[in-house]
Amino acid sequence: MTGSGPAGRPGREFHRLTTEGAPMLDGAICALGDRSERFLRMAQFSTPMASSRWDADHGTLVEAFRSGDHDLAVRTIAQHLARTAFTALADIAPCEDATATRAALRLLVADG
């Protein structure tokens, strides 16, 4: 493992930097990351491109934050979280379908 992606140091640093000034959001993201780290690591090992996709999402988010593009940020966050959920679910419960996650993602990105 390279240490990138959500379970590695760069991913944690990204989340820390983007939640500065929002301690409740930072706490929620850290707690979620701690609880899901095992599944995210499994996803990284079983899906070699997972880390590069997560890193690309982080780069897109940084650009959206810098340019003030709220719509791009919302779409990217929704896609990032959904992609992570789909990847983890495929490993831990491959017979299940993330119907609610897919429906929520469609609502958020319908205009994009």
Side-chain angles (χ1 to χ4, degrees):
M1 170 148 12
T2 64
S4 63
R9 183 179 167 96
R12 287 187 185 272
E13 183 68 6
F14 168 83
H15 290 116
R16 186 189 66 75
L17 289 171
T18 56
T19 57
E20 280 183 344
M24 289 179 61
L25 181 58
D26 181 55
I29 288 174
C30 286
L32 181 59
D34 290 344
R35 286 193 299 266
S36 62
E37 186 167 352
R38 174 181 60 175
F39 301 110
L40 295 173
R41 286 187 188 278
M42 285 174 32
Q44 284 177 304
F45 286 124
S46 67
T47 310
M49 297 301 296
S51 289
S52 62
R53 285 193 312 248
W54 287 323
D55 292 342
D57 289 345
H58 291 165
T60 301
L61 280 170
V62 167
E63 283 305 310
F65 295 156
R66 285 186 179 144
S67 67
D69 190 337
H70 177 264
D71 292 339
L72 177 60
V74 169
R75 278 193 314 274
T76 302
I77 290 168
Q79 291 169 337
H80 177 72
L81 293 174
R83 183 179 297 118
T84 302
F86 296 145
T87 302
L89 186 62
D91 284 338
I92 62 173
C95 294
E96 297 296 325
D97 185 22
T99 306
T101 302
R102 200 173 304 281
L105 180 60
R106 282 189 188 119
L107 286 173
L108 286 170
V109 299
D111 296 330

